[in-house]
Amino acid sequence: MPMFQNLTEKINAAFKKFKNKGKLTEEDVKTGMREIKLALLEADVNFKVVRDFVKKVTERAVGAEVLASLLPAQQIIKIVNEELTALMGGEGERIKLSSRPPTVIMMVGLQGAGKTTHCGKLAGMFKKQGRRPLLVACDVYRPAAIKQLEVVGAQLEIPVFQMGTDVSPVRIAAAGIEHAKQYGHDVVFIDTAGRLHIDEAMMEELKQIKATVEPQEILLVVDAMLGQDAVNVAESFNGLLDITGVVLTKLDGDTRGGAALSVRYVTGKPIKYVGVGEKLDAIEPFHPDRMASRILGMGDMLSLIEKAEAAYDEKQAEELERKMCTSQFTLEDFLDQFRQIRKMGPMKDILASLPGMDASKLENAQIDEHAIDRMEAIILSMTPKERQKPSIINPSRKRRIAAGSGTRVEDVNRLLKQFEQTCKMMKEMSSGKFKRMMRKGKGKFPF
């Protein structure tokens, strides 16, 4: 089910009441805001947050400028979007790096929130940025916690510092920092122990680690699907440790949105990153404005473009442009484009980021996530000559390719048709007429 689907559907249902009226009265606004209030409460958003949010939006929406507007419904949507963005922090905030390395990041949270995995995810993100991260294993209580961190570290090729389970976590944390200094690691992630609930012994240990290593950041890892309970956990940890930010995990499974909309307001501390899947690269910086757009069903094109840029190789892009201009685009190039799309994540997630995409229709849509796998099998079952020159693929060759790829002749025909249409579109895009249109601003890419 797409992120925040329930909340998005209910807010959009309230917006429809505004859209059906040419002029709005103060009573119309208050009726619509009552529905938005109920939608937020059902989404497990903190009551105080809902009360203040609805009050702010209503005060702005019943202003003379909105009610006298020719498009009052759009004005209200704009106000709701702006207030949602402000509610979640306005500006996105990131880990602040120390001017004197290493930057020490202490990861805290309850057991089962995904702390160990997200230590690795964040370290992997910094490694991609050219940093030299180190993971420090300070959870000496949970069975196999150290082994789990080592497995994550091995998958990401990031070293893990550990001293076993017989040494105090405070000593391990201090030794880990010294190890980082000695071996040139500029970012250190300390994986601390969690419990099933907040208790005195855990908090005392975390306070000792904090006092000993003086971390630049204390990030609380919390499960978004807990809703209001996630906010209560964040409030408790913040009161005891003065956290610097929050990492919300399992946001891709959160259909309500209570935690994302309440954490900043209740704790005063920003959500810095969000976990959006199980893979070790499934973590994103939190952007309040983009999240507000997604909640209102407006999509998230900027995040989609960033995913595309991260997945796409620059040299490949230049080579593709050259082939487009010289009409040398082959089936191998065609396959490469789909491989790049696959790197961006599940097709459902990509479609959900597009503006105007109805999340409820996506939920019931039959999206074939294995289509690219079949396409790859078909193209790899062709000879190099067939991939370079598809026009030679006659009925007997099609039967051989279908048998070799475990597909049907119809699938081979469909692929060849798609390739033909793509080539035609690329020919038009590389034409002088198209380029002149783009320069004059008369044409624009569908993306």
Side-chain angles (χ1 to χ4, degrees):
M1 189 175 278
M3 195 188 301
F4 303 153
Q5 180 177 320
N6 297 346
L7 180 58
T8 301
E9 287 175 359
K10 286 184 170 64
I11 288 180
N12 282 329
F15 283 156
K16 278 178 185 172
K17 298 204 169 181
F18 296 136
K19 289 175 185 173
N20 292 337
K21 294 176 180 281
K23 284 281 182 182
L24 289 179
T25 64
E26 191 171 323
E27 189 54 41
D28 291 331
V29 172
K30 287 181 177 176
T31 301
M33 288 312 300
R34 272 196 293 272
E35 294 206 15
I36 290 176
K37 179 181 179 179
L38 287 172
L40 292 168
L41 289 171
E42 283 181 31
D44 212 13
V45 180
N46 178 279
F47 175 74
K48 289 179 185 175
V49 176
V50 176
R51 184 188 62 198
D52 288 2
F53 174 80
V54 170
K55 184 183 175 188
K56 282 180 184 176
V57 174
T58 304
E59 282 174 358
R60 289 182 63 187
V62 298
E65 187 182 333
V66 174
L67 296 185
S69 165
L70 290 173
L71 296 167
Q74 288 186 11
Q75 290 275 33
I76 290 175
I77 292 169
K78 180 175 178 286
I79 290 168
V80 171
N81 188 26
E82 288 171 355
E83 291 297 334
L84 275 177
T85 301
L87 186 64
M88 292 185 283
E91 296 285 323
E93 293 192 38
R94 307 289 165 260
I95 286 172
K96 294 176 178 67
L97 294 170
S98 173
S99 57
R100 295 178 62 191
T103 298
V104 179
I105 297 123
M106 185 174 159
M107 305 286 282
V108 301
L110 294 182
Q111 193 173 309
K115 191 161 20 68
T116 301
T117 305
H118 282 76
C119 266
K121 286 184 178 186
L122 282 171
M125 181 184 285
F126 276 92
K127 185 183 178 187
K128 284 180 182 176
Q129 294 169 8
R131 302 281 170 183
R132 297 192 67 236
L134 175 72
L135 298 168
V136 178
C138 288
D139 184 352
V140 298
Y141 310 108
R142 182 168 60 89
I146 295 172
K147 182 64 182 172
Q148 183 189 351
L149 191 64
E150 286 179 327
V151 168
V152 168
Q155 287 176 323
L156 294 163
E157 297 182 352
I158 293 170
V160 174
F161 179 86
Q162 60 104 344
M163 296 172 70
T165 57
D166 298 325
V167 182
S168 84
V170 179
R171 276 186 58 199
I172 296 169
I177 306 301
E178 289 306 311
H179 180 89
K181 290 176 181 176
Q182 187 177 348
Y183 289 93
H185 296 285
D186 52 7
V187 189
V188 178
F189 290 89
I190 298 175
D191 182 28
T192 65
R195 302 281 194 281
L196 293 175
H197 55 84
I198 296 167
D199 63 33
E200 195 175 327
M202 175 182 71
M203 296 314 299
E204 186 55 40
E205 181 177 283
L206 293 176
K207 285 179 184 176
Q208 287 178 19
I209 294 173
K210 177 185 175 181
T212 302
V213 303
E214 297 180 342
Q216 277 73 42
E217 297 267 0
I218 301 177
L219 296 182
L220 171 67
V221 181
V222 65
D223 184 340
M225 293 178 74
L226 292 175
Q228 183 59 45
D229 285 341
V231 180
N232 296 336
V233 168
E235 198 172 17
S236 298
F237 269 90
N238 186 47
L240 293 162
L241 286 171
D242 190 22
I243 62 173
T244 59
V246 174
V247 178
L248 270 186
T249 68
K250 304 177 190 174
L251 198 68
D252 55 315
D254 182 19
T255 62
R256 296 180 299 173
L261 286 169
S262 306
V263 164
R264 175 62 185 248
Y265 181 96
V266 172
T267 65
K269 300 300 167 69
I271 300 168
K272 294 197 174 186
Y273 301 91
V274 290
V276 289
E278 293 180 8
K279 292 183 179 178
L280 289 176
D281 61 354
I283 187 166
E284 297 174 0
F286 183 76
H287 299 278
D289 53 344
R290 300 184 195 181
M291 196 57 66
S293 290
R294 291 191 77 160
I295 290 169
L296 298 180
M298 297 174 182
D300 182 1
M301 282 301 292
L302 286 174
S303 292
L304 187 60
I305 289 165
E306 283 172 5
K307 279 184 183 178
E309 285 174 346
Y312 214 92
D313 183 273
E314 200 172 327
K315 286 182 180 176
Q316 279 183 306
E318 289 172 2
E319 179 62 15
L320 175 63
E321 187 178 353
R322 184 190 66 77
K323 288 184 174 184
M324 280 172 61
C325 293
T326 56
S327 300
Q328 292 179 341
F329 189 72
T330 69
L331 275 164
E332 285 173 343
D333 300 319
F334 187 57
L335 178 58
D336 278 342
Q337 305 318 301
F338 282 96
R339 283 173 172 164
Q340 301 296 339
I341 291 169
R342 185 162 54 189
K343 285 183 189 176
M344 291 167 62
M347 209 64 196
K348 224 171 218 183
D349 293 351
I350 295 170
L351 292 172
S353 296
L354 296 172
M357 186 59 68
D358 188 332
S360 61
K361 288 180 181 173
L362 263 186
E363 177 60 21
N364 299 317
Q366 298 297 313
I367 296 171
D368 188 354
E369 296 287 353
H370 299 291
I372 296 173
D373 295 335
R374 282 197 298 277
M375 187 181 294
E376 187 171 32
I378 291 169
I379 293 174
L380 294 178
S381 294
M382 296 176 185
T383 64
K385 191 175 180 182
E386 287 168 343
R387 288 178 220 155
Q388 295 291 323
K389 198 175 179 183
S391 58
I392 67 170
I393 302 177
N394 57 26
S396 64
R397 286 176 185 259
K398 288 176 185 177
R399 287 193 293 273
R400 190 204 77 241
I401 292 164
S405 58
T407 59
R408 301 168 303 166
V409 171
E410 293 95 310
D411 297 321
V412 178
N413 284 332
R414 191 181 301 113
L415 171 69
L416 293 172
K417 183 72 175 172
Q418 287 173 340
F419 176 72
E420 188 183 316
Q421 289 170 342
T422 302
C423 287
K424 186 179 177 184
M425 181 188 74
M426 287 186 163
K427 196 172 182 182
E428 289 172 1
M429 286 173 70
S430 62
S431 71
K433 182 183 175 184
F434 182 84
K435 287 177 180 175
R436 285 194 298 274
M437 282 174 65
M438 291 305 297
R439 278 198 293 270
K440 291 176 183 175
K442 290 181 181 177
K444 55 186 175 182
F445 289 105
F447 192 59

